[in-house]
Structure formats: C-alpha cells, structure tokens
Amino acid sequence: MSADLEAPPNSRPGGDGHSGPGRRRTARTFGSALGLTVLGAVVPGTGFLATGRRVLGALTLVLFLLLVGGAVYLATAGRRTAVQLAVDTSSLLWVIGGVALVGLLWVAVIAAGYRMLAPRGTRPLQHVVGSLLVVLLAAAVALPAVAVVRLADAQRGLINGVFAEHRSATVQDKPNPFAGKDRVNVLLLGGDSGPGREGLRTDTVIVASIDTNTGDTTLFSLPRNLENLPFPPGSPMAQYYPDGFEGSSESEGLLNAVYRNGPAAHPGILGPTDDEGADWLKLGVGQALGLHLDYFVLVNLEGFSRLVDALGGITVNVNYWVPINGDPGTGELPDDYIAPGPDQHLDGYHALQFARGRFGLTDYDRMARQRCTINAIIDAADPVTVLSKYQQLAQTTQDIVSTDIPQSALSDFVDLGFLVKDAQVRSVVFDNTLINPAYPDYDQIRSITAQALSAPAASSTSPPSTSPAPSTTATPTSPSAGEAPPPSGSPVTDVGDACAYDPAKAQAELTQGKPPSKAG
C-alpha cells in the first residue's frame, strides 16, 4: 500500500522535518486513489487507514465488522430473533432509523475517503471522474438501504393493519398468552363474498390444534354443509339455538351460513366485538370439537386472486376437470373448465376458480383442492419473489386477512412457528366417511377429536394417499376425493402431498372428454 501513497510535503524530509507512521498521506496517483476509494466503500475504514487516520479507520472498520457479524447471525443462528424483530412494530421502527443512519454514514465515509485519498495536483477533470465514482458508490449503498427501509415500513404497516387493537368477545389480550397452555387452537376460515353472493360465507373451516411443547399440529377440517352447529351451554347463542344453529331454510342453517346469519338474527348478544361472525364460529366450532378456540384467522377468497397475481401465479397438478363458475343449486353450467394436466400454472383468477369450483363435484373435492392451493402458494412464495414484491403482497394481505390475534401474542407465535416447521402435521377430515353432515353426532365428533389429540404422533401415521378422480355428478353422499382414512380405520392421517399428479386418472378424464359448459 505504501507504494501507492505519499505523504504531504510538510511530512517529508525537508518539510517540517518529521515523517513516519501516523502521518497523513494521500494516494501517490489518481488511479490508486480511485482504487482505494472503491476498497473503502466495500470495506469501510480501509480508506482511512490508508491515509494514516488509524483511530478513525480502526473505529470505522470495527463498527463495520460488527454490523456484518450481526447480519450473519440474524441470517443463520439468529433467525428466530430476526423474525421476532419483524413482528414487533417498535423494533421495526428502530430498524428503519438504524438502516437510514448506517446508510448515511456509509455514504459519508465514501465521500470523505476520496477527499483524503485524492493526491495534490489532481486536475479538475479527474475530480469530475472521482466525484462520479463517489456518486455511483453512494448509490450502490443507498439503494439497498432504501429498499430495506421500504421493506421494514411495509412490514410495520402489515402488522399494524392486520394485528391492530381488536375488540373481541372471545379473546383477552394479556401478557404471555400461551402460559400454562398445552395446546393453542386457531380457527382458520376461508370466506367467500364474491359477486352474486349476499354477504360472506365461510366455505372453508379448519381448526389447527398446535402442541406448544413440540409444535405437532393436527388440522380438523369441517364440511361447509354441516348442520345444527351447537353452542356452549349457558352461552347467549345456546339460549336461542338449544338444538343447534338453524336458519330460515336448510341452506341458511349450514355451517357456512353461521358467520353471516347468526349475528344478523341476533346482533350484539356477545357484547362489543369487531367480528361478531367469527366469535359465533369460534364458540360453535369449539363446542362441536370439544376444544377451546383461542384465535381465528379469516382469509377472504374474493381478494385471493390479487395475492396469487402478486406472487406471479401458482403451479398445481390437476387430475380432473375443475369447473370455472357454475351454480350447482340452479344447474347453471360452468363458463369453462380447467383441464387435467401436470404443473398447471394458474393466474389469480384461475387459481381462485381452482380453489372455489364445485359444480358437479363434492365439497370434499373442493376441501382437498384448497389444501393444494395453500401448498402451491407456499411454494410460490420463494424469498426472492416475496422480497421483490413485498410491498404489494403486504398491502394485498391487509385487504384479505383479518384476525383477532393480538400483537402481544406474535412473539409467542414466532416461537411456535419454528417448532411447527420441524414438527409433524396431521389431518382429520370430517367427511361423510366419518360423519353424516345432515345429522351429525357431535358426541362422536368430540370423541374423534379427543382420540386424535391424545394418540401419540407416531402411532397414527400412515402414507399419504393420492386423491382419486371424482365423479362428474354432484351427489352429497358420494365418497370424498380428498384424503381418506388409512386402512386401519384411524381418522388421523399425515398431511402429505395429496396433490400429486396421477397420469392414469388425468388421462381417463381427458379420454372421457370435457363436461358440458357454456363454452361448449
């Protein structure tokens, strides 16, 4: 390095009579000044050290290495800490301020380093070149910093938007909400308020029961056409519906109508709450399964297509003709069908139809496809896609997701999420091989639920089954095309890839030909 640097005139013999280590130096040539400026931008502090500013250079270099070490830790062993920071709005505010400050200081180090390194006698045109280099290096630092700030700000908006303060009739916001709990039960709802539908109907009802010690999770899927949903004895709803929920007609008394029709018939009976329908379902579904449901998460499928489009589409395997629109109640034919085939790439509109389509199929077919859709979204949400489109994804998520999970519980959910990631996930589908949705035996349902949760995880496993092609005629008592109980008769199955492509079944569907549609 000394060959590329020279001391100022007053530090050479014949100047002030002193020379040696610690004296300030400049680059010997303009080219070496540019090279050392680049090095100082990549490894802040090295430019200061090259000019003899040892204290300033060492301090800058140490701070830089600490930042790099912290980033490496958060990306590896400290991932849990990183995620906890990402769900804490106060921490995110500090992240925004810290990144902005580091970015500004980094740019200042680049500019100061060039000024110190530029040799005496540098020509004006060379200074123009040097200034241009400083601007380019500053932009290389500033643009990523701005991107991180925007990402953190979008995340902060998402947390504030989805997990804002809630009024809930079924949740008490308190510190350490998981303390003393062996299980946390979350009600997952898929709501559909699309065109032609009055209000919102929850066609997807799944309870995720998570062991807080191991992360082992059991998913309980209930059919949309389940009748006479019970409510806890002594609750306000039980006074109105002692024999289970009923509506003005059979279709208005199904499980998927409780969210809309219950609060509409008896508004305010639970007290102050921001989502009365969800509270009705938490109490009713919890009573049906014999579980206390802690929280709910509702995804409105009407905005679901925008989420898929933001991800660039999803890829699914299709083993049978999936209808696009159509009305099973009136017999109105679908507009068209999604054809069988492997690795079908669907945009948001067709992904919504894949998850929603029911004409000529059973509710259980749709339940299976919805699970496939969730898996496909997870696969599509790779880190590069999520980071590049995070602001759009965050805004879309705010529009389609609602929940009563308080911000105070997010840190505990982060810990739980890391357990679930490496734990076993099992499934119980209450299809018509287990129950009769029109005349459900809720004692039996509660017994099955208790059996599934008490059985050791390893004892109730079985290989995942492949979905058979469904019948093209809608029959409410036809077997489900989704997961079936294993041969042993246990209702519990491992959640595997039930969405694998089956060439034989797909070819049989293609040979049979596309069912009737408006498209012909």
Side-chain angles (χ1 to χ4, degrees):
M1 182 178 292
S2 60
D4 292 326
L5 298 169
E6 63 177 5
N10 64 350
S11 66
R12 299 179 202 143
D16 63 0
H18 297 282
S19 64
R23 309 300 296 178
R24 296 181 180 181
R25 300 182 294 274
T26 62
R28 185 173 297 276
T29 66
F30 179 69
S32 62
L34 297 182
L36 289 169
T37 299
V38 173
L39 179 62
V42 175
V43 186
T46 53
F48 294 153
L49 291 174
T51 63
R53 276 75 167 181
R54 292 184 176 179
V55 174
L56 180 60
L59 179 61
T60 304
L61 182 59
V62 168
L63 290 176
F64 171 71
L65 293 177
L66 287 175
L67 286 173
V68 171
V72 171
Y73 168 75
L74 291 175
T76 54
R79 283 180 296 171
R80 181 173 304 197
T81 301
V83 177
Q84 287 177 331
L85 290 174
V87 298
D88 187 317
T89 53
S90 298
S91 297
L92 286 169
L93 196 57
W94 280 102
V95 169
I96 291 172
V99 170
L101 178 62
V102 169
L104 289 173
L105 291 176
W106 202 328
V107 169
V109 166
I110 295 171
Y114 170 74
R115 287 181 60 85
M116 293 178 185
L117 288 163
R120 293 174 62 86
T122 300
R123 296 188 296 274
L125 182 59
Q126 290 176 317
H127 274 306
V128 171
V129 174
S131 298
L132 180 59
L133 176 65
V134 169
V135 169
L136 291 175
L137 292 173
V141 170
L143 291 178
V146 169
V148 172
V149 167
R150 294 178 65 182
L151 186 68
D153 186 58
Q155 172 68 4
R156 193 164 182 269
L158 174 64
I159 297 298
N160 281 328
V162 176
F163 302 97
E165 290 188 11
H166 306 283
R167 292 182 307 164
S168 173
T170 54
V171 173
Q172 181 181 0
D173 191 358
K174 59 182 180 180
N176 303 318
F178 292 1
K181 286 182 174 290
D182 292 327
R183 308 195 73 85
V184 171
N185 302 309
V186 182
L187 177 64
L188 309 176
L189 302 172
D192 200 342
S193 59
R197 304 196 71 171
E198 182 183 348
L200 184 145
R201 289 180 179 263
T202 53
D203 287 338
T204 301
V205 178
I206 300 173
V207 172
S209 184
I210 310 166
D211 189 311
T212 57
N213 296 310
T214 65
D216 288 338
T217 301
T218 303
L219 304 177
F220 298 95
S221 298
L222 294 172
R224 60 178 284 281
N225 59 339
L226 187 70
E227 298 190 28
N228 304 120
L229 184 72
F231 296 104
S235 67
M237 294 91 78
Q239 296 176 18
Y240 290 100
Y241 302 104
D243 298 320
F245 186 77
E246 295 178 342
S248 57
S249 64
E250 184 177 8
S251 64
E252 295 300 324
L254 303 179
L255 175 61
N256 73 334
V258 173
Y259 182 93
R260 181 191 69 183
N261 294 344
H266 307 285
I269 64 173
L270 290 176
T273 177
D274 291 335
D275 199 324
E276 211 170 357
D279 285 326
W280 275 63
L281 279 174
K282 283 176 67 178
L283 293 170
V285 172
Q287 179 66 18
L289 296 176
L291 299 174
H292 171 74
L293 302 191
D294 300 288
Y295 307 106
F296 83 88
V297 177
L298 168 64
V299 178
N300 191 340
L301 293 179
E302 185 55 27
F304 169 81
S305 59
R306 289 185 284 119
L307 176 65
V308 174
D309 282 333
L311 288 170
I314 61 173
T315 301
V316 297
N317 293 311
V318 183
N319 289 322
Y320 52 85
W321 298 96
V322 177
I324 298 174
N325 297 319
D327 189 334
T330 63
E332 180 183 355
L333 291 175
D335 297 329
D336 206 344
Y337 288 83
I338 300 172
D343 299 328
Q344 300 270 45
H345 190 75
L346 307 179
D347 60 15
Y349 173 77
H350 288 92
L352 177 60
Q353 299 302 322
F354 179 79
R356 176 192 279 169
R358 190 168 61 91
F359 188 92
L361 305 172
T362 69
D363 284 330
Y364 310 114
D365 300 329
R366 179 166 60 178
M367 290 165 65
R369 291 198 312 276
Q370 286 171 348
R371 290 192 290 275
C372 297
T373 304
I374 293 172
N375 288 338
I377 289 176
I378 294 172
D379 290 339
D382 62 273
V384 174
T385 300
V386 170
L387 288 175
S388 64
K389 300 182 178 181
Y390 192 78
Q391 285 184 292
Q392 182 181 357
L393 289 169
Q395 184 57 55
T396 301
T397 301
Q398 288 186 61
D399 293 341
I400 69 174
V401 174
S402 60
T403 183
D404 61 357
I405 297 175
Q407 288 192 26
S408 59
L410 292 181
S411 179
D412 290 302
F413 268 105
V414 168
D415 292 336
L416 203 58
F418 275 88
L419 287 176
V420 172
K421 180 178 179 294
D422 299 319
Q424 184 180 44
V425 180
R426 301 180 296 164
S427 178
V428 176
V429 179
F430 286 103
D431 58 18
N432 52 12
T433 65
L434 287 182
I435 63 170
N436 183 344
Y439 303 97
D441 182 341
Y442 285 105
D443 287 334
Q444 179 190 17
I445 290 175
R446 286 187 280 269
S447 176
I448 292 172
T449 302
Q451 175 190 355
L453 295 181
S454 62
S459 67
S460 54
T461 60
S462 65
S465 59
T466 304
S467 301
S471 167
T472 55
T473 58
T475 54
T477 58
S478 61
S480 165
E483 299 169 23
S488 64
S490 169
V492 185
T493 62
D494 283 340
V495 173
D497 186 7
C499 310
Y501 182 60
D502 190 322
K505 292 171 184 173
Q507 185 57 52
E509 288 280 317
L510 290 170
T511 301
Q512 185 177 350
K514 184 168 70 172
S517 69
K518 293 179 182 178

